[in-house]
Amino acid sequence: MPEPPLAEPGAEPVARRPRRRGRTTLLIAGAAVLGLVAGTCAGFLVQADREPTKLAPLSQPTLAQAKGPAPEPLSAAQDRRVSTDGDLRKLLLKKPRGAKDAEWLEGSDGWLDLARYADSYKEPGEKFDDLVEDEFRRAAVTGWEVGTSYSVEIRLVQYRQEERLVAKDAADGSQYWAEDEDGTDSWVIPGTVDGMAYVHTVPEREPGYLPLYSAEAHAWRGDIDVEIWIYSSAPVTKKTIMDLAKRQMERL
């Protein structure tokens, strides 16, 4: 169909004619509506003549009950939560014979609260905030001294871990800083997922003091982060730090 001519300048605009629906379209639409109505009526009639379908019973068959006594609860040796939810101090290594309690433990009763634990870091305020965010639960500590030039400190730091494995993250962070020091040798602690022991062969030196050698170990098990440090005026051997780390992890 030809388009209507454009209006001459100054004349009234010519309206574009709308396209009309053809008769064939109307007939097809009408037939479709009638077919839908007829099909619906037929469906109702067929369903009305059928027998009602029985519903499945709501009750289920009774399950057979197990016979015999209930299994015994796991012992503390089998269920580690029994021991780790108890007195955490009992899981620490015992002071060896001939050693004396470390002076820095006086008045602690074997516990480190959040403030005292944070205070052992270079930036206590920042560490305090991190521990609150990480849901710090408690920390147990032990330590001993042999003579005037050799000391050991062990900490078990427990977290609530309601959202993530904080104990693992803490151990990973400590390992990062340990590996960053110059002259450091490292080994995997047997029996752990990714626990590591470190010996720092380059001592810290200050005028008027003996050189200070150190070794450390960091691992985790469940919700507990394990921290071990050795300080000595003589180089610390791999055997010494590995023996401490293995025996401490065996108690968890």
Side-chain angles (χ1 to χ4, degrees):
M1 179 180 296
E3 295 291 333
L6 298 175
E8 293 292 334
E12 292 294 330
V14 178
R16 182 177 295 275
R17 297 177 183 176
R19 296 183 180 273
R20 301 183 180 273
R21 296 180 179 269
R23 290 183 62 189
T24 304
T25 303
L26 294 176
L27 291 174
I28 294 175
V33 173
L34 292 175
L36 179 61
V37 173
T40 302
C41 294
F44 276 116
L45 293 175
V46 170
Q47 187 64 32
D49 290 337
R50 290 179 177 174
E51 291 291 331
T53 302
K54 294 183 179 180
L55 297 176
L58 296 178
S59 60
Q60 298 297 321
T62 303
L63 298 177
Q65 297 295 320
K67 297 181 179 180
E72 292 292 330
L74 295 176
S75 65
Q78 296 171 311
D79 186 358
R80 60 174 304 276
R81 288 302 297 268
V82 174
S83 57
T84 58
D85 282 344
D87 191 340
L88 202 60
R89 297 171 298 179
K90 294 181 178 179
L91 299 180
L92 288 162
L93 281 178
K94 303 301 181 182
K95 178 183 64 176
R97 185 175 301 176
K100 64 178 182 179
D101 290 334
E103 294 181 357
W104 66 82
L105 295 178
E106 293 180 0
S108 68
D109 196 28
W111 293 109
L112 278 178
D113 60 23
L114 193 154
R116 288 191 62 184
Y117 179 61
D119 194 51
S120 65
Y121 284 79
K122 292 182 178 179
E123 299 181 359
E126 181 178 338
K127 184 62 179 179
F128 186 94
D129 294 339
D130 290 342
L131 290 170
V132 172
E133 182 179 351
D134 291 339
E135 297 183 317
F136 171 90
R137 180 180 176 185
R138 56 183 179 168
V141 60
T142 189
W144 55 84
E145 297 175 346
V146 179
T148 59
S149 60
Y150 181 89
S151 64
V152 173
E153 182 177 3
I154 303 175
R155 296 176 180 177
L156 303 181
V157 187
Q158 191 171 35
Y159 298 88
R160 291 185 175 85
Q161 293 201 151
E162 295 182 359
E163 296 183 357
R164 60 188 178 90
L165 295 176
V166 182
K168 179 183 184 305
D169 294 343
D172 289 346
S174 298
Q175 291 172 7
Y176 171 82
W177 291 111
E179 293 169 353
D180 194 47
E181 295 192 27
D182 295 331
T184 298
D185 297 328
S186 61
W187 305 271
V188 175
I189 302 172
T192 67
V193 177
D194 49 11
M196 298 292 295
Y198 304 88
V199 168
H200 305 298
T201 59
V202 178
E204 296 182 14
R205 297 182 183 273
E206 290 187 20
Y209 292 90
L210 293 172
L212 184 64
Y213 292 87
S214 62
E216 56 189 293
H218 301 281
W220 65 282
R221 183 156 291 163
D223 54 1
I224 296 177
D225 171 35
V226 180
E227 306 172 352
I228 303 175
W229 286 275
I230 299 176
Y231 297 99
S232 175
S233 59
V236 182
T237 64
K238 170 188 175 181
K239 181 180 183 303
T240 301
I241 185 64
M242 288 290 282
D243 177 64
L244 275 178
K246 287 190 292 185
R247 289 194 292 119
Q248 179 58 74
M249 294 307 297
E250 288 171 355
R251 295 179 66 87
L252 299 179

